[in-house]
Amino acid sequence: MSELRLVVNGEERRVPGPATLLDLLAHLSLDPRTVVVELNREIVRRPRLGETTLAEGDSVELVHFVGGG
Amino acid sequence: MTTTLAPAELVDTPLAIGGRTFRSRLMVGTGKYRTNQEMVQAIEASGAEIVTVAVRRVDLDRTREEGVLHHLSPERYFLLANTAGCYTADEAVRYARLAREAGFNDFVKLEVIGDRETLLPDTAGLLAATRELVKDGFTVLAYTSDDLVTALRLEEAGCAAVMPLASPIGSGLGLLNPYGIRTIKRRLGVPVIVDAGVGTASDACLTMEQGVDGILMNTALAEARDPIMMAWAMRHAVDAGRAAYLAGRMPRREVAVPSTPDRGMLG
């Protein structure tokens, strides 16, 4: 089992690899229905999370709705 | 039969934006409340159907709280995502696309801020982002200044609604330019929703009396001593202002005109 170095929400993180985006969400205990995912600045739609494999150095943004005006 | 007093909702048409209709002309934000419970109760008391939310990174360490949808049901409220905090058109477009991906609707309250002190909009960036998002199928509600020409250009660019400010975001200074807002309303075909600056109920009432289609507010509720009571007040102020606009005010005169007849006075 190798390790992947990613930048998730601006912070460097090491996760077990190989991994898909869905694996990453599971690793972070996030429900895929409650987050929107951007991989290297491109949105990855929910149905594709399980088939999108992460690569060393990938930048991932995980966002959701918060309070705002 | 005499005409009886009718609440505004009985004689008014619903507010239509981008093919959707809404009964309430008051829209509220979800930021800055002291507690989530207070937010939920205030929003309920406001009668609002449209509530704004923002797109931010998930807190991966869970040291802060859950997303706002943990407290507000997307089935009950129409979620209007904003692009608050964005300073360029590209950034705002990126946030809008992320918001749409959340899967609720294609509406966006577009903000492109141009100045950190006043949070006044960058109108050139706003127009550029509007064109991009309209092309991409978004229903754009653009937060803008009280400048008529910018509002006209935003409408030409395909905005579903234009949202001029009453005064700067979070300032509570009330309606600074009634003439500007009235003029924008008179000249635009799309709905005009005043966004930002309302401080208390009289501000909301006065704003609605200009004939605008609605108001969006956040801080006036969140920072009131009692947000729930202020939400109630705002709801009624918006209804009162709307009804007064529809009723048509009497002319202003420089001289008094007696309300009581002179005829029949004792000789």
Side-chain angles (χ1 to χ4, degrees):
Chain A
M1 191 103 146
S2 62
E3 209 181 41
L4 277 174
R5 226 182 30 216
L6 308 170
V7 179
V8 184
N9 286 1
E11 287 170 22
E12 200 167 288
R13 281 193 179 244
R14 289 163 194 276
V15 299
T20 64
L21 279 167
L22 203 59
D23 296 330
L24 173 68
L25 293 182
H27 178 74
L28 296 167
S29 313
L30 289 172
D31 180 345
R33 289 168 304 179
T34 66
V35 292
V36 175
V37 182
E38 215 187 52
L39 172 62
N40 301 324
R41 290 215 154 217
E42 294 286 329
I43 289 172
V44 180
R45 302 221 150 127
R46 267 171 216 150
R48 298 207 44 221
L49 294 174
E51 59 194 54
T52 307
T53 310
L54 289 162
E56 180 75 10
D58 273 349
S59 176
V60 182
E61 294 287 351
L62 306 172
V63 302
H64 65 166
F65 284 147
V66 302
Chain B
M1 197 175 127
T2 54
T3 309
T4 51
L5 276 176
E9 61 262 31
L10 295 183
V11 294
D12 204 358
T13 50
L15 170 60
I17 306 171
R20 311 268 313 222
T21 57
F22 303 95
R23 278 171 292 103
S24 175
R25 292 177 180 273
L26 173 57
M27 298 157 210
V28 296
T30 54
K32 296 195 287 193
Y33 282 91
R34 293 175 198 104
T35 66
N36 286 311
Q37 196 199 357
E38 207 170 54
M39 173 189 74
V40 169
Q41 288 180 289
I43 292 173
E44 211 170 289
S46 76
E49 294 166 276
I50 300 178
V51 301
T52 59
V53 291
V55 174
R56 290 293 181 269
R57 283 173 166 165
V58 172
D59 175 23
L60 297 177
D61 300 322
R62 307 288 199 290
T63 46
R64 278 165 289 161
E65 56 189 300
E66 306 268 356
V68 71
L69 299 190
H70 196 71
H71 309 282
L72 278 182
S73 161
E75 280 95 51
R76 173 151 181 204
Y77 295 104
F78 184 89
L79 300 178
L80 175 60
N82 70 27
T83 62
C86 292
Y87 280 78
T88 65
D90 285 349
E91 203 183 0
V93 167
R94 184 184 182 194
Y95 275 71
R97 290 191 171 130
L98 286 166
R100 180 168 66 177
E101 211 51 41
F104 296 105
N105 57 63
D106 60 10
F107 280 51
V108 63
K109 195 194 98 165
L110 184 63
E111 295 185 30
V112 180
I113 302 301
D115 176 61
R116 285 184 195 274
E117 184 190 273
T118 58
L119 299 179
L120 288 173
D122 175 339
T123 52
L126 186 64
L127 271 164
T130 297
R131 292 192 183 103
E132 178 79 22
L133 290 170
V134 166
K135 205 165 63 186
D136 198 9
F138 280 86
T139 300
V140 178
L141 293 75
Y143 166 69
T144 185
S145 65
D146 57 11
D147 178 64
L148 170 67
V149 178
T150 304
L152 288 168
R153 297 293 171 269
L154 285 167
E155 180 174 49
E156 286 163 16
C159 279
V162 172
M163 308 184 84
L165 51 78
S167 50
I169 296 170
S171 72
L173 290 173
L175 184 61
L176 296 181
N177 184 3
Y179 165 79
I181 295 298
R182 213 160 50 232
T183 308
I184 288 173
K185 176 55 203 170
R186 183 165 58 77
R187 294 288 302 278
L188 264 63
V190 295
V192 175
I193 314 290
V194 169
D195 176 11
V198 165
T200 187
S202 54
D203 297 338
C205 194
L206 184 65
T207 300
M208 288 306 293
E209 285 175 15
Q210 309 310 311
V212 298
D213 300 277
I215 304 184
L216 196 160
M217 61 180 71
N218 189 154
T219 312
L221 304 186
E223 285 189 3
R225 192 175 59 231
D226 183 337
I228 300 150
M229 197 178 289
M230 186 57 90
W232 185 92
M234 288 296 190
R235 174 187 196 155
H236 290 88
V238 166
D239 282 350
R242 180 67 182 168
Y245 168 73
L246 292 173
R249 62 155 297 142
M250 61 162 283
R252 287 186 168 84
R253 301 185 182 99
E254 293 295 320
V255 291
V257 179
S259 308
T260 307
D262 285 338
R263 202 161 55 87
M265 292 285 289
L266 300 181

